[in-house]
Amino acid sequence: MRVMAQVAMVMNLDKCIGCHTCSVTCKQTWTNRDGVEYVWFNNVETKPGVGYPKRYEDQERWHGGWELDRRGRLRLRAGGRGKRLLSLFANPNLPDLDDYYEPATYDYDTLINAPAGPHVPVIRPKSAITGRDMAITWGANWEDDLGGAPEHAPADPNLAAMVEKVRMEFDKTFMFHLPRICEHCLNPACVAACPSGAMYKREEDGIVLVDQDRCRGWRMCVSSCPYKKVYVNHKTGKAEKCTFCFPRIEAGQPTVCAETCVGRLRYIGLILYDADAVLDAARVADPRDLLEAQRRVFLDPDDPEVAAAARADGISEDWIEAARRSPIYRLAMRYRVALPLHPEYRTLPMVWYIPPLSPVLDAVTGMGADADDPDNVFHAITDLRIPLEYLASLFSAGDTGVVAGVLMKLSAMRSYMRARTLDGSVASDLLESAGMTAQDMEEMYRLLAVAKYDERYVVPAAHREDAAALSAQVDGCSLDGDGGPGMSGFHPAGVTGRRGDGRVGLKLFVGRGGAA
Amino acid sequence: MSVALWVVVPYIALTVFVVGHVWRWRVDQFGWTTRTTQVLESRLLRLGSPLFHLGAFAAIGGHVLGLLVPKSLTEAVGVDEHLYHLVSVSAGTVAGLMVVAGLGLLLARRFTSPRVRRTTTRADRVLFTVLAAVILLGMTATVGKNLLGGGYDYRATIAVWFRGVLTFRPDPGLMADVPLIFQLHALSAWALAAIWPFTRLVHVWSAPIAYLWRPYVVYRRRTPLGVRR
Ligand code: HEM
Ligand code: SF4
Ligand code: SF4
């Protein structure tokens, strides 16, 4: 056993209202620069929907993540090492800008400079890439709230596996929002695919980063990540990705996206895991066993043997203590209501989700029944094949039993707490059906419903004595170099906001690249 | 004049090549990249880039054979002039056609795709110009002289002179009577060597061969500064 610590996140999807505050604050922090105009380390997509980039979940097309070869060994889905080196010259699996979207800005100068006249001046959208006039026809969440869904949503790869097709009619459909960041996987396909060894997983907290000084622009990480959470900066020609806001994590603070989430639906905490068990877990034969396999990799921080092994592996006492208070461990392991996104990609993702009960409740109400009656909800959960199958294709490799179990638990919690609050009665039948004690049930309720800042975010600071070395590891994060944050917004030449060339680095190598 | 062209120029180019690489490696790791543009335009690149690169590898291999391996050596292993000529002209022509077609496609996308066009830097423009010159002159020499013309035995002159430059015993006299087209090809190649370290061509030295035996997942641990594993 080799104990390692990982900062992980859980998002409670019932609470996401799709406001995009997380996306916007992340963008302001990390990708408000030339070259990454189209990049959203955090994006929020509407489901059912094709997502960002379009149909990223269709691994038949993009060949992201891992698969098992005939002898049951793990192999990147894009092929063996030799094959991928031979496809360096042109990557057959790389999405292009139109699979994301062409970012736009406006020629704001017109507003300021238009001569006085009878009409209000009109500004036009300009491509942030080419500076030319353009029509805006797609975006990172074009299908917001199912906009255009009748036309686009049937292309959602998750629907392909379903027996009955979701009807995209206004009154018969369901929807929810799915905020996505990098999963900081235990078995990261991006790292494994990087030919230069520029991508790495930090041993102390599991954050996956790109060394900007070592990246050579082979762009294999971009296509190998099944979640499409590594991006090409088309100005620097290097890869960039969600950093899990490592400078904040090192200081003991939550990520920007979590900190600013208005729904307070994100949780951050530590997971102790057995690094030696990762590969075996990732190669279990049946994709539906991956969830349990991954759970077995996680270690119980309250187990004295685990704590001793963690100490022996150099994990400090305050980190072990933080792991004991981790909301992630409680949600994923104790209450077992959090599930990984697409475990079948075999990367062992570490941002998990509590599946939304609301599509089911909406459907119950839609049928004219009372969504507060647990019996109705229980029946709906098992009878409503469509939301259940859909959620299962996202969170449990198609195993509807797993998702139904979680939804039953959430529904039981609602009913149990209602009874407790209204007349103080204890619905022991509900406890029994959920397989939980009264104390667990109330603690879970507290964590999901009223948890305060320090219960939602249990982030131990990096050790002072190590902090300098940690930051120094990332010599050249995406902040450095030409086009670092604060150097510019993205505006095509000639449009307000164009900066003087305040670049650092070597003038020789940057001409009109991007909008510099 | 002959000394200037066939001794001074090569050594200036070689010096810039070596010093330039050392300097750039030390000050500009962040700029050391292919500067991929595939996200901006994929269709033409998918065809052009493999054509260009595979052709370039074949052409480079051919140059190594033709310039660095002495004629006496190939003859000693039983390859006579006729056989050598046959193989080098046919393989050289195929490789050359691949490079020309590939570069044509790569250039076409730089002109026709507004997205790629905007990311084209000054260094790119110089690079593509010189590269195109080297390739077109080389193709003209191979096709014009060796395939259609009477053939020219560059291994008796250019190759000997080239090895002399590399071993610091340059003999400019060898180049005096070389056909003009070969002379121009050689000069343009020195120009390419001189601009090489300042362009995206530095990616060639980062060919990720070590990837074949590296463990899949790379971990980095907090270590004293500068120590990495
Ligand atoms: C050593 C192995 C090599 C590898 C793995 C390699 C790989 C690559 C890659 C990945 C790109 C970026 C393509 C893109 O996405 O835009 C590229 C571009 C390029 N390479 Fe190579 N390359 C190699 C050797 C060479 C050689 C020997 C030459 C020529 C002397 C060369 C000339 C170029 C040029 C000119 C470009 C720019 C293409 C364009 O953007 O139009 N490469 N190479
Ligand atoms: S989700 Fe993150 S860690 Fe996992 S493969 Fe993608 S970029 Fe890598
Ligand atoms: S963790 Fe930080 S970098 Fe990653 S998505 Fe959230 S705000 Fe962005």
Side-chain angles (χ1 to χ4, degrees), chain A residues 220-249:
Chain A
M220 293 315 243
C221 50
V222 178
S223 54
S224 290
C225 169
Y227 303 94
K228 292 292 166 285
K229 279 296 169 186
V230 192
Y231 304 84
V232 172
N233 177 326
H234 59 79
K235 183 149 183 252
T236 63
K238 299 205 169 198
E240 294 189 21
K241 66 179 288 298
C242 156
T243 62
F244 214 88
C245 293
F246 68 89
R248 291 177 58 93
I249 294 290

PDB file of all heavy atoms in Angstrom, chain A residues 220-249:
ATOM      1  N   MET A 220      -1.367  15.896 -28.037  1.00  0.00           N
ATOM      2  CA  MET A 220      -1.970  14.577 -27.849  1.00  0.00           C
ATOM      3  C   MET A 220      -2.840  14.529 -26.596  1.00  0.00           C
ATOM      4  O   MET A 220      -3.782  13.747 -26.508  1.00  0.00           O
ATOM      5  CB  MET A 220      -0.886  13.502 -27.731  1.00  0.00           C
ATOM      6  CG  MET A 220      -0.110  13.283 -29.009  1.00  0.00           C
ATOM      7  SD  MET A 220      -1.188  13.197 -30.424  1.00  0.00           S
ATOM      8  CE  MET A 220      -0.914  11.561 -30.992  1.00  0.00           C
ATOM      9  N   CYS A 221      -2.500  15.342 -25.586  1.00  0.00           N
ATOM     10  CA  CYS A 221      -3.292  15.390 -24.354  1.00  0.00           C
ATOM     11  C   CYS A 221      -4.709  15.855 -24.652  1.00  0.00           C
ATOM     12  O   CYS A 221      -5.667  15.370 -24.060  1.00  0.00           O
ATOM     13  CB  CYS A 221      -2.650  16.353 -23.367  1.00  0.00           C
ATOM     14  SG  CYS A 221      -2.277  17.972 -24.089  1.00  0.00           S
ATOM     15  N   VAL A 222      -4.834  16.800 -25.590  1.00  0.00           N
ATOM     16  CA  VAL A 222      -6.139  17.388 -25.871  1.00  0.00           C
ATOM     17  C   VAL A 222      -7.115  16.317 -26.339  1.00  0.00           C
ATOM     18  O   VAL A 222      -8.245  16.228 -25.879  1.00  0.00           O
ATOM     19  CB  VAL A 222      -6.008  18.487 -26.948  1.00  0.00           C
ATOM     20  CG1 VAL A 222      -7.364  19.075 -27.293  1.00  0.00           C
ATOM     21  CG2 VAL A 222      -5.053  19.569 -26.478  1.00  0.00           C
ATOM     22  N   SER A 223      -6.642  15.470 -27.252  1.00  0.00           N
ATOM     23  CA  SER A 223      -7.555  14.467 -27.790  1.00  0.00           C
ATOM     24  C   SER A 223      -7.691  13.286 -26.839  1.00  0.00           C
ATOM     25  O   SER A 223      -8.726  12.624 -26.825  1.00  0.00           O
ATOM     26  CB  SER A 223      -7.078  13.991 -29.163  1.00  0.00           C
ATOM     27  OG  SER A 223      -5.741  13.548 -29.085  1.00  0.00           O
ATOM     28  N   SER A 224      -6.682  13.001 -26.025  1.00  0.00           N
ATOM     29  CA  SER A 224      -6.772  11.815 -25.174  1.00  0.00           C
ATOM     30  C   SER A 224      -7.635  12.028 -23.948  1.00  0.00           C
ATOM     31  O   SER A 224      -8.120  11.067 -23.368  1.00  0.00           O
ATOM     32  CB  SER A 224      -5.378  11.375 -24.738  1.00  0.00           C
ATOM     33  OG  SER A 224      -4.692  10.851 -25.845  1.00  0.00           O
ATOM     34  N   CYS A 225      -7.807  13.258 -23.519  1.00  0.00           N
ATOM     35  CA  CYS A 225      -8.702  13.489 -22.378  1.00  0.00           C
ATOM     36  C   CYS A 225     -10.131  13.257 -22.844  1.00  0.00           C
ATOM     37  O   CYS A 225     -10.625  13.955 -23.721  1.00  0.00           O
ATOM     38  CB  CYS A 225      -8.583  14.916 -21.844  1.00  0.00           C
ATOM     39  SG  CYS A 225      -9.910  15.280 -20.666  1.00  0.00           S
ATOM     40  N   PRO A 226     -10.831  12.279 -22.269  1.00  0.00           N
ATOM     41  CA  PRO A 226     -12.181  11.986 -22.732  1.00  0.00           C
ATOM     42  C   PRO A 226     -13.175  13.083 -22.343  1.00  0.00           C
ATOM     43  O   PRO A 226     -14.253  13.157 -22.914  1.00  0.00           O
ATOM     44  CB  PRO A 226     -12.517  10.680 -22.017  1.00  0.00           C
ATOM     45  CG  PRO A 226     -11.645  10.669 -20.799  1.00  0.00           C
ATOM     46  CD  PRO A 226     -10.394  11.395 -21.184  1.00  0.00           C
ATOM     47  N   TYR A 227     -12.799  13.919 -21.390  1.00  0.00           N
ATOM     48  CA  TYR A 227     -13.682  15.007 -20.967  1.00  0.00           C
ATOM     49  C   TYR A 227     -13.377  16.287 -21.731  1.00  0.00           C
ATOM     50  O   TYR A 227     -14.008  17.311 -21.507  1.00  0.00           O
ATOM     51  CB  TYR A 227     -13.530  15.244 -19.466  1.00  0.00           C
ATOM     52  CG  TYR A 227     -13.801  14.008 -18.641  1.00  0.00           C
ATOM     53  CD1 TYR A 227     -12.775  13.157 -18.249  1.00  0.00           C
ATOM     54  CD2 TYR A 227     -15.101  13.670 -18.285  1.00  0.00           C
ATOM     55  CE1 TYR A 227     -13.029  12.018 -17.513  1.00  0.00           C
ATOM     56  CE2 TYR A 227     -15.364  12.532 -17.541  1.00  0.00           C
ATOM     57  CZ  TYR A 227     -14.326  11.705 -17.161  1.00  0.00           C
ATOM     58  OH  TYR A 227     -14.575  10.571 -16.431  1.00  0.00           O
ATOM     59  N   LYS A 228     -12.359  16.246 -22.593  1.00  0.00           N
ATOM     60  CA  LYS A 228     -11.917  17.412 -23.376  1.00  0.00           C
ATOM     61  C   LYS A 228     -11.650  18.602 -22.479  1.00  0.00           C
ATOM     62  O   LYS A 228     -12.128  19.714 -22.705  1.00  0.00           O
ATOM     63  CB  LYS A 228     -12.944  17.745 -24.473  1.00  0.00           C
ATOM     64  CG  LYS A 228     -13.024  16.676 -25.556  1.00  0.00           C
ATOM     65  CD  LYS A 228     -11.751  16.623 -26.389  1.00  0.00           C
ATOM     66  CE  LYS A 228     -11.644  15.379 -27.232  1.00  0.00           C
ATOM     67  NZ  LYS A 228     -11.290  14.160 -26.495  1.00  0.00           N
ATOM     68  N   LYS A 229     -10.821  18.355 -21.464  1.00  0.00           N
ATOM     69  CA  LYS A 229     -10.511  19.421 -20.519  1.00  0.00           C
ATOM     70  C   LYS A 229      -9.043  19.860 -20.602  1.00  0.00           C
ATOM     71  O   LYS A 229      -8.534  20.479 -19.678  1.00  0.00           O
ATOM     72  CB  LYS A 229     -10.899  18.981 -19.107  1.00  0.00           C
ATOM     73  CG  LYS A 229     -12.403  19.157 -18.846  1.00  0.00           C
ATOM     74  CD  LYS A 229     -12.778  20.629 -18.910  1.00  0.00           C
ATOM     75  CE  LYS A 229     -14.288  20.840 -18.919  1.00  0.00           C
ATOM     76  NZ  LYS A 229     -14.635  22.262 -19.117  1.00  0.00           N
ATOM     77  N   VAL A 230      -8.364  19.493 -21.675  1.00  0.00           N
ATOM     78  CA  VAL A 230      -7.093  20.139 -21.996  1.00  0.00           C
ATOM     79  C   VAL A 230      -7.320  20.861 -23.320  1.00  0.00           C
ATOM     80  O   VAL A 230      -7.999  20.336 -24.200  1.00  0.00           O
ATOM     81  CB  VAL A 230      -5.937  19.139 -22.165  1.00  0.00           C
ATOM     82  CG1 VAL A 230      -4.604  19.879 -22.197  1.00  0.00           C
ATOM     83  CG2 VAL A 230      -5.934  18.116 -21.054  1.00  0.00           C
ATOM     84  N   TYR A 231      -6.778  22.050 -23.425  1.00  0.00           N
ATOM     85  CA  TYR A 231      -7.037  22.880 -24.590  1.00  0.00           C
ATOM     86  C   TYR A 231      -5.723  23.362 -25.200  1.00  0.00           C
ATOM     87  O   TYR A 231      -4.722  23.479 -24.508  1.00  0.00           O
ATOM     88  CB  TYR A 231      -7.851  24.111 -24.194  1.00  0.00           C
ATOM     89  CG  TYR A 231      -9.151  23.794 -23.503  1.00  0.00           C
ATOM     90  CD1 TYR A 231      -9.197  23.543 -22.138  1.00  0.00           C
ATOM     91  CD2 TYR A 231     -10.341  23.732 -24.215  1.00  0.00           C
ATOM     92  CE1 TYR A 231     -10.387  23.251 -21.495  1.00  0.00           C
ATOM     93  CE2 TYR A 231     -11.541  23.438 -23.582  1.00  0.00           C
ATOM     94  CZ  TYR A 231     -11.554  23.202 -22.225  1.00  0.00           C
ATOM     95  OH  TYR A 231     -12.736  22.910 -21.600  1.00  0.00           O
ATOM     96  N   VAL A 232      -5.769  23.655 -26.486  1.00  0.00           N
ATOM     97  CA  VAL A 232      -4.609  24.264 -27.129  1.00  0.00           C
ATOM     98  C   VAL A 232      -4.724  25.781 -27.016  1.00  0.00           C
ATOM     99  O   VAL A 232      -5.756  26.348 -27.355  1.00  0.00           O
ATOM    100  CB  VAL A 232      -4.541  23.887 -28.623  1.00  0.00           C
ATOM    101  CG1 VAL A 232      -3.439  24.689 -29.314  1.00  0.00           C
ATOM    102  CG2 VAL A 232      -4.298  22.414 -28.788  1.00  0.00           C
ATOM    103  N   ASN A 233      -3.683  26.429 -26.523  1.00  0.00           N
ATOM    104  CA  ASN A 233      -3.593  27.871 -26.657  1.00  0.00           C
ATOM    105  C   ASN A 233      -3.048  28.108 -28.061  1.00  0.00           C
ATOM    106  O   ASN A 233      -1.895  27.799 -28.341  1.00  0.00           O
ATOM    107  CB  ASN A 233      -2.659  28.440 -25.594  1.00  0.00           C
ATOM    108  CG  ASN A 233      -2.480  29.944 -25.732  1.00  0.00           C
ATOM    109  OD1 ASN A 233      -2.479  30.485 -26.838  1.00  0.00           O
ATOM    110  ND2 ASN A 233      -2.321  30.614 -24.609  1.00  0.00           N
ATOM    111  N   HIS A 234      -3.891  28.636 -28.941  1.00  0.00           N
ATOM    112  CA  HIS A 234      -3.450  28.691 -30.341  1.00  0.00           C
ATOM    113  C   HIS A 234      -2.444  29.801 -30.563  1.00  0.00           C
ATOM    114  O   HIS A 234      -1.888  29.935 -31.645  1.00  0.00           O
ATOM    115  CB  HIS A 234      -4.645  28.841 -31.292  1.00  0.00           C
ATOM    116  CG  HIS A 234      -5.459  30.063 -31.044  1.00  0.00           C
ATOM    117  ND1 HIS A 234      -5.074  31.274 -31.484  1.00  0.00           N
ATOM    118  CD2 HIS A 234      -6.635  30.256 -30.393  1.00  0.00           C
ATOM    119  CE1 HIS A 234      -5.976  32.183 -31.118  1.00  0.00           C
ATOM    120  NE2 HIS A 234      -6.932  31.583 -30.436  1.00  0.00           N
ATOM    121  N   LYS A 235      -2.234  30.605 -29.561  1.00  0.00           N
ATOM    122  CA  LYS A 235      -1.223  31.655 -29.712  1.00  0.00           C
ATOM    123  C   LYS A 235       0.160  31.149 -29.302  1.00  0.00           C
ATOM    124  O   LYS A 235       1.141  31.377 -30.011  1.00  0.00           O
ATOM    125  CB  LYS A 235      -1.612  32.853 -28.864  1.00  0.00           C
ATOM    126  CG  LYS A 235      -0.644  33.985 -29.038  1.00  0.00           C
ATOM    127  CD  LYS A 235      -1.312  35.313 -28.883  1.00  0.00           C
ATOM    128  CE  LYS A 235      -0.315  36.388 -29.152  1.00  0.00           C
ATOM    129  NZ  LYS A 235       0.065  37.083 -27.917  1.00  0.00           N
ATOM    130  N   THR A 236       0.233  30.466 -28.168  1.00  0.00           N
ATOM    131  CA  THR A 236       1.531  29.960 -27.736  1.00  0.00           C
ATOM    132  C   THR A 236       1.822  28.594 -28.336  1.00  0.00           C
ATOM    133  O   THR A 236       2.955  28.121 -28.297  1.00  0.00           O
ATOM    134  CB  THR A 236       1.577  29.806 -26.205  1.00  0.00           C
ATOM    135  OG1 THR A 236       0.601  28.835 -25.818  1.00  0.00           O
ATOM    136  CG2 THR A 236       1.270  31.106 -25.509  1.00  0.00           C
ATOM    137  N   GLY A 237       0.778  27.907 -28.860  1.00  0.00           N
ATOM    138  CA  GLY A 237       0.970  26.568 -29.394  1.00  0.00           C
ATOM    139  C   GLY A 237       1.182  25.536 -28.304  1.00  0.00           C
ATOM    140  O   GLY A 237       1.746  24.474 -28.561  1.00  0.00           O
ATOM    141  N   LYS A 238       0.754  25.846 -27.082  1.00  0.00           N
ATOM    142  CA  LYS A 238       0.943  24.898 -25.980  1.00  0.00           C
ATOM    143  C   LYS A 238      -0.389  24.542 -25.344  1.00  0.00           C
ATOM    144  O   LYS A 238      -1.391  25.219 -25.540  1.00  0.00           O
ATOM    145  CB  LYS A 238       1.882  25.513 -24.940  1.00  0.00           C
ATOM    146  CG  LYS A 238       3.256  25.809 -25.533  1.00  0.00           C
ATOM    147  CD  LYS A 238       4.338  25.838 -24.496  1.00  0.00           C
ATOM    148  CE  LYS A 238       5.691  25.866 -25.205  1.00  0.00           C
ATOM    149  NZ  LYS A 238       6.781  25.481 -24.332  1.00  0.00           N
ATOM    150  N   ALA A 239      -0.365  23.460 -24.544  1.00  0.00           N
ATOM    151  CA  ALA A 239      -1.600  22.997 -23.914  1.00  0.00           C
ATOM    152  C   ALA A 239      -1.824  23.717 -22.590  1.00  0.00           C
ATOM    153  O   ALA A 239      -0.875  24.023 -21.875  1.00  0.00           O
ATOM    154  CB  ALA A 239      -1.516  21.493 -23.676  1.00  0.00           C
ATOM    155  N   GLU A 240      -3.086  23.968 -22.286  1.00  0.00           N
ATOM    156  CA  GLU A 240      -3.436  24.549 -20.998  1.00  0.00           C
ATOM    157  C   GLU A 240      -4.655  23.832 -20.453  1.00  0.00           C
ATOM    158  O   GLU A 240      -5.458  23.312 -21.210  1.00  0.00           O
ATOM    159  CB  GLU A 240      -3.754  26.046 -21.139  1.00  0.00           C
ATOM    160  CG  GLU A 240      -2.551  26.865 -21.543  1.00  0.00           C
ATOM    161  CD  GLU A 240      -2.827  28.369 -21.475  1.00  0.00           C
ATOM    162  OE1 GLU A 240      -3.763  28.772 -20.758  1.00  0.00           O
ATOM    163  OE2 GLU A 240      -2.110  29.112 -22.151  1.00  0.00           O
ATOM    164  N   LYS A 241      -4.766  23.802 -19.139  1.00  0.00           N
ATOM    165  CA  LYS A 241      -5.916  23.122 -18.552  1.00  0.00           C
ATOM    166  C   LYS A 241      -6.243  23.700 -17.187  1.00  0.00           C
ATOM    167  O   LYS A 241      -5.478  24.475 -16.627  1.00  0.00           O
ATOM    168  CB  LYS A 241      -5.630  21.632 -18.430  1.00  0.00           C
ATOM    169  CG  LYS A 241      -4.519  21.311 -17.439  1.00  0.00           C
ATOM    170  CD  LYS A 241      -4.309  19.812 -17.354  1.00  0.00           C
ATOM    171  CE  LYS A 241      -5.448  19.144 -16.616  1.00  0.00           C
ATOM    172  NZ  LYS A 241      -5.567  19.606 -15.219  1.00  0.00           N
ATOM    173  N   CYS A 242      -7.390  23.275 -16.663  1.00  0.00           N
ATOM    174  CA  CYS A 242      -7.822  23.633 -15.314  1.00  0.00           C
ATOM    175  C   CYS A 242      -6.720  23.263 -14.336  1.00  0.00           C
ATOM    176  O   CYS A 242      -6.174  22.173 -14.373  1.00  0.00           O
ATOM    177  CB  CYS A 242      -9.112  22.896 -14.982  1.00  0.00           C
ATOM    178  SG  CYS A 242      -9.425  22.670 -13.216  1.00  0.00           S
ATOM    179  N   THR A 243      -6.400  24.193 -13.456  1.00  0.00           N
ATOM    180  CA  THR A 243      -5.275  24.012 -12.535  1.00  0.00           C
ATOM    181  C   THR A 243      -5.735  23.592 -11.149  1.00  0.00           C
ATOM    182  O   THR A 243      -4.925  23.515 -10.231  1.00  0.00           O
ATOM    183  CB  THR A 243      -4.543  25.342 -12.372  1.00  0.00           C
ATOM    184  OG1 THR A 243      -5.490  26.256 -11.808  1.00  0.00           O
ATOM    185  CG2 THR A 243      -4.064  25.880 -13.700  1.00  0.00           C
ATOM    186  N   PHE A 244      -7.026  23.367 -10.987  1.00  0.00           N
ATOM    187  CA  PHE A 244      -7.646  23.214  -9.671  1.00  0.00           C
ATOM    188  C   PHE A 244      -7.237  24.400  -8.785  1.00  0.00           C
ATOM    189  O   PHE A 244      -7.156  24.281  -7.583  1.00  0.00           O
ATOM    190  CB  PHE A 244      -7.292  21.882  -8.997  1.00  0.00           C
ATOM    191  CG  PHE A 244      -8.434  21.331  -8.165  1.00  0.00           C
ATOM    192  CD1 PHE A 244      -9.387  20.514  -8.730  1.00  0.00           C
ATOM    193  CD2 PHE A 244      -8.578  21.651  -6.816  1.00  0.00           C
ATOM    194  CE1 PHE A 244     -10.456  20.019  -7.984  1.00  0.00           C
ATOM    195  CE2 PHE A 244      -9.646  21.177  -6.064  1.00  0.00           C
ATOM    196  CZ  PHE A 244     -10.584  20.356  -6.643  1.00  0.00           C
ATOM    197  N   CYS A 245      -6.991  25.534  -9.437  1.00  0.00           N
ATOM    198  CA  CYS A 245      -6.581  26.746  -8.717  1.00  0.00           C
ATOM    199  C   CYS A 245      -5.518  26.430  -7.680  1.00  0.00           C
ATOM    200  O   CYS A 245      -5.630  26.801  -6.506  1.00  0.00           O
ATOM    201  CB  CYS A 245      -7.791  27.423  -8.061  1.00  0.00           C
ATOM    202  SG  CYS A 245      -8.951  28.099  -9.236  1.00  0.00           S
ATOM    203  N   PHE A 246      -4.444  25.772  -8.111  1.00  0.00           N
ATOM    204  CA  PHE A 246      -3.460  25.283  -7.141  1.00  0.00           C
ATOM    205  C   PHE A 246      -2.881  26.358  -6.221  1.00  0.00           C
ATOM    206  O   PHE A 246      -2.597  26.061  -5.064  1.00  0.00           O
ATOM    207  CB  PHE A 246      -2.336  24.504  -7.851  1.00  0.00           C
ATOM    208  CG  PHE A 246      -1.457  25.343  -8.722  1.00  0.00           C
ATOM    209  CD1 PHE A 246      -0.340  25.958  -8.188  1.00  0.00           C
ATOM    210  CD2 PHE A 246      -1.749  25.527 -10.060  1.00  0.00           C
ATOM    211  CE1 PHE A 246       0.468  26.753  -8.982  1.00  0.00           C
ATOM    212  CE2 PHE A 246      -0.950  26.319 -10.857  1.00  0.00           C
ATOM    213  CZ  PHE A 246       0.165  26.941 -10.325  1.00  0.00           C
ATOM    214  N   PRO A 247      -2.748  27.614  -6.680  1.00  0.00           N
ATOM    215  CA  PRO A 247      -2.210  28.588  -5.716  1.00  0.00           C
ATOM    216  C   PRO A 247      -3.163  28.791  -4.538  1.00  0.00           C
ATOM    217  O   PRO A 247      -2.727  29.001  -3.412  1.00  0.00           O
ATOM    218  CB  PRO A 247      -2.076  29.869  -6.540  1.00  0.00           C
ATOM    219  CG  PRO A 247      -2.031  29.410  -7.965  1.00  0.00           C
ATOM    220  CD  PRO A 247      -2.936  28.228  -8.000  1.00  0.00           C
ATOM    221  N   ARG A 248      -4.461  28.721  -4.817  1.00  0.00           N
ATOM    222  CA  ARG A 248      -5.432  28.861  -3.722  1.00  0.00           C
ATOM    223  C   ARG A 248      -5.434  27.611  -2.855  1.00  0.00           C
ATOM    224  O   ARG A 248      -5.481  27.701  -1.632  1.00  0.00           O
ATOM    225  CB  ARG A 248      -6.831  29.126  -4.298  1.00  0.00           C
ATOM    226  CG  ARG A 248      -6.967  30.490  -4.949  1.00  0.00           C
ATOM    227  CD  ARG A 248      -8.338  30.668  -5.575  1.00  0.00           C
ATOM    228  NE  ARG A 248      -9.414  30.504  -4.624  1.00  0.00           N
ATOM    229  CZ  ARG A 248      -9.989  31.493  -3.942  1.00  0.00           C
ATOM    230  NH1 ARG A 248      -9.589  32.727  -4.130  1.00  0.00           N
ATOM    231  NH2 ARG A 248     -10.959  31.247  -3.095  1.00  0.00           N
ATOM    232  N   ILE A 249      -5.408  26.446  -3.486  1.00  0.00           N
ATOM    233  CA  ILE A 249      -5.421  25.208  -2.714  1.00  0.00           C
ATOM    234  C   ILE A 249      -4.203  25.159  -1.786  1.00  0.00           C
ATOM    235  O   ILE A 249      -4.313  24.806  -0.617  1.00  0.00           O
ATOM    236  CB  ILE A 249      -5.437  23.987  -3.663  1.00  0.00           C
ATOM    237  CG1 ILE A 249      -6.743  23.950  -4.454  1.00  0.00           C
ATOM    238  CG2 ILE A 249      -5.220  22.688  -2.898  1.00  0.00           C
ATOM    239  CD1 ILE A 249      -7.976  23.607  -3.650  1.00  0.00           C
TER     240      ILE A 249
END
